[in-house]
């Protein structure tokens, strides 16, 4: 089946055609159109969806216009089950990480690694087996990243997907530590995404009970008499209170003592326990609280005692951290920095923090305060896109809801720009400010990406198996979305550059690399 050639209409003519197609003539009222007064202006709907989603496209613009902006925002903050195009859902369902539960997958990979070291005496055989093990681990990590990108591109719950990435970065783990490549998919899917718009305390607890975080920050090494402070320190400094919140090194040490015995186990059998401790043992999936390793001595955290009672000490500590005013301000500022600007207004952060505290840490309520604020309404186009936002928004704009067949180029672009999924080695996560992503080298890579997407040569529709009979055409960005809304947000310099483009492909590239499309 051949692809019809692209018809390049002069911009003025195409705009005229679109306006004529959208209007319904009424002889009694020549100025009337079919649009109802309840529908928001296309530019307003575009600006909102461009910020709430991973990048505006025709489908999200139509949803916002048809629902109304207030209803659209409410639906995004309080979403139902996500929907995906059937072909995308099928691709995700076929993944190993979707078919095998974490206990089975991680245990099997752990056993496989031990078998490699124990079974093969010949060095060449052992090397080959180790290589096969690493390849399988890499495949699992790639599956998790692929699933994340597909959901970012096509999920109906776009705010939830953005917040999943936000929390993935906030509660950062590095996939190349130990066997985390077998865990990151479940970590994202069970600890983060379900709580991304819920109560912060529930999210904090889910992270604290997931083996990916416990292994990444070495808490399995934390035991009475052999204290490891790694997780305790990051829990207070990066996950809750923030630097400068007034806690002391003594608080970190006490938190580490509270966390003794909190870990995971690949052994299906419970450890041998003293009779008086058997009732304190907890096992949930791979998560394990081993009372043999717990420090049962008296503890004080943030000036208040913690009652000695095993794993329940952790619950009490997390309650205290989640309800602390410093946590409300730290989380609120970081949310405002992510959604609005590098330096969010202090008054807005304070209002968000008060919403956080009044709602018992309700993330959606805190975001509602942000997204209905005058500061947010006036802030469209302020926030510079990090690599993830740039890559996903460009593909969403180029292909709308048409599913791509290969996210490999997107993964490669993120690697080249230094923001691969699960790829930040240290617990602090990727930077959220412009300075981290606006270097000349970064911008040169973005221009290359814009050219690849704009010309249709990015490889997004190439597969490993037989290639589709129909070759995908390059995207047609001079479309209804552009003339109804996006084009009206462009400055004169960008409009001048677009007018000087010598081909549709070059026009696409100029648009995708414009300053306006580098911001949201």
């Amino acid at each position: 089946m051949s692809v019809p050639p692209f018809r390049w209409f002069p911009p003025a003519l195409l705009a005229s055609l679109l306006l004529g197609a959208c209007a319904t003539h009424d002889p009694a009222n020549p100025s009337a159109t079919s649009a109802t007064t309840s529908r928001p202006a296309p530019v307003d709907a575009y600006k909102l969806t461009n910020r709430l989603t991973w990048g505006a496209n025709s489908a999200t613009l139509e949803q916002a216009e048809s629902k109304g902006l207030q209803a659209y925002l409410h639906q995004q903050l309080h979403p139902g089950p996500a929907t995906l195009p059937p072909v995308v859902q099928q691709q995700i369902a076929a993944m190993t990480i979707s078919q095998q539960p974490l206990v089975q997958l991680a245990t099997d990979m752990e056993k496989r690694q031990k078998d490699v070291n124990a079974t093969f005496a010949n060095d060449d055989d052992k090397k080959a087996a180790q290589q096969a093990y690493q390849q399988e681990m890499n495949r699992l990590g790639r599956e998790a990243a692929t699933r994340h990108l597909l959901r970012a591109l096509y999920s109906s719950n776009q705010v939830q997907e953005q917040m999943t990435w936000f929390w993935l970065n906030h509660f950062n783990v590095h996939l190349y530590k130990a066997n985390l490549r077998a865990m990151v998919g479940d970590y994202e899917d069970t600890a983060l995404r379900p709580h991304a718009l819920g109560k912060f305390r529930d999210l904090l607890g889910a992270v604290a009970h997931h083996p990916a975080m416990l292994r990444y920050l070495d808490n399995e090494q934390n035991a009475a008499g052999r204290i490891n402070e790694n997780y305790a320190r990051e829990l207070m400094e990066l996950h809750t209170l923030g630097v400068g919140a007034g806690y002391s090194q003594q608080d970190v040490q006490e938190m580490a003592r509270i966390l003794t015995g909190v870990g995971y186990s690949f052994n299906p059998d419970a450890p041998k326990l003293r009779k008086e401790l058997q009732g304190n043992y907890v096992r949930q999936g791979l998560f394990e609280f081993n009372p043999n390793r717990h420090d049962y001595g008296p503890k004080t955290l943030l000036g208040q005692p913690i009652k000695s009672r095993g794993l329940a000490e952790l619950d009490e500590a997390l309650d205290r951290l989640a309800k602390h005013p410093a946590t409300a301000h730290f989380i609120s500022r970081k949310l405002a920095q992510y959604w609005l600007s590098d330096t969010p207004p202090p008054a807005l952060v304070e209002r968000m923090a008060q919403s956080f505290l009044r709602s018992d840490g309700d993330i959606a309520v805190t975001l509602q305060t942000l997204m209905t604020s005058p500061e947010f309404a006036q802030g469209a186009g302020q926030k510079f896109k990090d690599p993830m936002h740039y890559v996903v928004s460009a593909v969403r704009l180029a292909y709308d809801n048409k599913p791509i067949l290969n996210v490999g180029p997107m993964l490669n672009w993120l690697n080249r720009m230094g923001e691969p999924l699960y790829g930040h080695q240290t617990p602090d996560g990727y930077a959220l400010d412009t300075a981290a992503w606006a270097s000349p080298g970064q911008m040169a890579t973005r221009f290359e990406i814009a050219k690849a997407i704009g010309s249709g040569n990015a490889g997004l529709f190439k597969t490993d198996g037989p290639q589709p009979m129909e070759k995908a055409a390059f995207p047609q960005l001079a479309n209804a979305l552009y003339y109804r809304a996006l084009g009206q947000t462009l400055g004169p310099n960008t409009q001048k550059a677009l007018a000087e483009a010598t081909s549709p492909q070059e026009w696409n590239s100029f648009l995708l690399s414009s300053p306006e499309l580098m911001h949201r």
Side-chain angles (χ1 to χ4, degrees):
M1 179 179 177
S2 62
V3 179
F6 176 76
R7 295 186 64 192
W8 178 249
F9 293 103
L13 174 59
L14 184 52
S16 176
L17 291 171
L18 288 169
L19 288 172
C22 293
T24 301
H25 178 66
D26 181 353
N29 183 5
S31 64
T33 70
S34 60
T36 64
T37 56
S38 64
R39 287 175 70 88
V43 173
D44 293 337
Y46 168 79
K47 288 180 178 179
L48 181 67
T49 58
N50 196 45
R51 302 169 78 188
L52 297 188
T53 70
W54 277 106
N57 57 21
S58 296
T60 51
L61 179 65
E62 174 55 33
Q63 290 170 16
E65 286 185 297
S66 62
K67 286 179 178 291
L69 301 189
Q70 184 176 358
Y72 182 75
L73 174 59
H74 183 271
Q75 182 269 325
Q76 286 294 314
L77 289 176
H78 306 278
T83 59
L84 294 163
V87 66
V88 174
Q89 186 58 55
Q90 291 168 10
Q91 183 178 347
I92 290 175
M95 293 178 178
T96 302
I97 59 172
S98 298
Q99 295 181 352
Q100 293 187 21
L102 175 64
V103 172
Q104 177 187 346
L105 186 60
T107 302
D108 287 351
M109 293 307 298
E110 189 78 2
K111 181 177 182 301
R112 183 170 171 177
Q113 182 184 36
K114 291 180 178 179
D115 288 346
V116 167
N117 296 325
T119 304
F120 297 97
N122 183 282
D123 288 343
D124 289 340
D125 291 341
K126 179 176 287 190
K127 184 177 180 180
Q130 288 173 337
Q131 185 176 27
Y133 167 80
Q134 291 296 334
Q135 288 174 344
E136 178 62 8
M137 291 291 281
N138 290 340
R139 188 185 70 81
L140 295 173
R142 186 182 177 92
E143 276 194 350
T146 297
R147 185 171 67 179
H148 186 98
L149 284 177
L150 289 174
R151 286 170 167 164
L153 286 168
Y154 304 113
S155 173
S156 57
N157 297 341
Q158 284 285 296
V159 169
Q160 182 183 32
E161 288 307 313
Q162 286 214 64
M163 287 306 300
T164 298
W165 187 94
F166 175 87
W167 295 123
L168 190 63
N169 194 54
H170 182 80
F171 296 106
N172 181 63
V173 299
H174 182 233
L175 84 167
Y176 287 110
K177 179 164 183 175
N179 68 341
L180 259 66
R181 283 164 287 178
M183 294 184 178
V184 289
D186 184 86
Y187 176 62
E188 177 185 320
D189 216 38
T190 64
L192 303 182
R193 182 172 284 101
H195 306 292
L197 289 167
K199 292 295 183 73
F200 180 75
R201 171 63 180 85
D202 295 337
L203 173 64
L204 190 65
V207 170
H209 286 75
H210 200 282
M213 178 58 71
L214 298 173
R215 175 157 254 194
Y216 172 61
L217 291 178
D218 306 314
N219 208 69
E220 80 278 7
Q221 301 174 18
N222 186 19
R226 301 192 307 276
I227 298 296
N228 185 299
E229 297 179 3
N230 287 3
Y231 183 30
R233 185 176 308 281
E234 309 308 349
L235 176 60
M236 302 178 77
E237 178 179 320
L238 297 176
H239 298 172
T240 56
L241 303 174
V243 177
Y247 64 89
S248 66
Q249 172 60 23
Q250 181 66 27
D251 287 315
V252 173
Q253 293 171 351
E254 295 291 88
M255 189 70 234
R257 293 177 60 215
I258 292 167
L259 283 163
T260 51
V262 175
Y264 55 86
S265 175
F266 297 107
N267 189 340
D269 301 322
K272 293 182 178 179
L273 301 167
R274 300 195 303 273
K275 186 175 181 180
E276 67 272 18
L277 296 178
Q278 290 176 359
N280 287 354
Y281 178 75
V282 177
R283 181 68 182 266
Q284 299 165 345
L286 293 178
F287 174 84
E288 180 182 66
F289 174 72
N290 186 341
N292 285 342
R293 300 169 58 84
H294 184 64
D295 181 342
Y296 279 89
K299 306 173 186 73
T300 300
L301 181 68
L302 302 176
Q304 298 294 323
I306 294 283
K307 185 178 178 180
S308 298
R309 57 195 192 282
L311 184 60
E313 296 172 28
L314 177 59
D315 289 330
E316 183 178 352
L318 295 182
D319 287 343
R320 194 172 299 177
L321 292 173
K323 293 177 183 296
H324 199 285
T327 297
H329 284 84
F330 180 64
I331 298 299
S332 294
R333 189 184 187 283
K334 195 167 182 179
L335 286 170
Q337 186 182 37
Y338 175 81
W339 286 100
L340 178 60
S341 68
D342 291 354
T343 54
L348 173 61
V349 173
E350 177 63 30
R351 297 200 305 273
M352 292 171 63
Q354 293 306 313
S355 292
F356 185 98
L357 291 169
R358 286 194 302 268
S359 65
D360 194 26
D362 192 306
I363 298 162
V365 169
T366 306
L367 288 177
Q368 177 86 15
T369 299
L370 166 66
M371 293 172 178
T372 58
S373 68
E375 295 92 335
F376 190 80
Q378 298 162 9
Q382 288 186 15
K383 186 63 183 174
F384 188 78
K385 295 178 181 177
D386 63 287
M388 178 72 177
H389 272 94
Y390 178 70
V391 166
V392 177
S393 65
V395 174
R396 279 175 57 83
L397 180 63
Y399 293 105
D400 211 315
N401 274 359
K402 179 181 180 181
I404 63 172
L405 304 179
N406 178 19
V407 302
M410 298 177 69
L411 295 172
N412 180 51
W413 296 332
L414 293 173
N415 284 332
R416 288 181 60 192
M417 290 189 286
E419 199 180 35
L421 286 161
Y422 328 111
H424 195 72
Q425 293 188 20
T426 53
D428 53 345
Y430 293 115
L432 299 178
D433 61 322
T434 302
W437 308 114
S439 69
Q442 284 272 342
M443 300 310 295
T445 302
R446 293 189 186 208
F447 297 152
E448 291 179 30
I449 295 169
K451 184 177 181 181
I453 296 174
S455 64
N457 294 324
L460 297 169
F461 292 90
K462 291 182 179 180
T463 60
D464 293 335
Q467 299 304 304
M469 294 295 292
E470 179 180 347
K471 183 179 179 181
F474 65 87
Q476 301 179 13
L477 297 181
N479 54 21
L481 173 65
Y482 177 81
Y483 287 104
R484 293 188 66 237
L486 193 164
Q488 299 176 51
T489 68
L490 304 178
N493 290 339
T494 297
Q495 292 179 355
K496 182 176 183 292
L498 292 174
E500 295 173 354
T502 59
S503 69
Q505 294 93 326
E506 188 174 66
W507 192 94
N508 287 346
S509 301
F510 286 174
L511 178 65
L512 291 171
S513 59
S514 65
E516 293 83 357
L517 266 69
M518 298 292 173
H519 294 77
R520 56 187 174 96

